[in-house]
Amino acid sequence: ISAIPELVQDGGILVPPGDPIALADAIQKVAEGAIDTSSMTARASAIIAAEYDLETNHRRFKDFLDVLP
């Protein structure tokens, strides 16, 4: 999904598309508690709140429409 790399920052987990081994490894690390998912969740929530709120999306969409012929 195209916006996911933008949200996965600073310690997030991103695996290459079509790589089931990397996906299984990431899932196993999360299941074993080897990765602090609570801090990842907090960072992702902060990014979403700052970058993808309704007003920001409205402004970006309007700006996009304004440049169309």
Side-chain angles (χ1 to χ4, degrees):
I1 300 173
S2 63
I4 289 178
E6 296 169 1
L7 297 176
V8 179
Q9 302 174 12
D10 301 326
I13 303 168
L14 187 62
V15 297
D19 188 343
I21 302 297
L23 179 59
D25 185 47
I27 292 170
Q28 183 174 3
K29 287 178 182 176
V30 169
E32 292 173 348
I35 296 174
D36 180 14
T37 55
S38 62
S39 64
M40 286 191 314
T41 302
R43 285 192 301 270
S45 294
I47 292 167
I48 290 168
E51 298 293 327
Y52 299 98
D53 64 286
L54 184 59
E55 288 181 27
T56 301
N57 276 324
H58 179 262
R59 179 184 44 80
R60 288 178 181 164
F61 190 63
K62 183 183 178 307
D63 292 347
F64 169 76
L65 292 177
D66 287 345
V67 298
L68 293 177

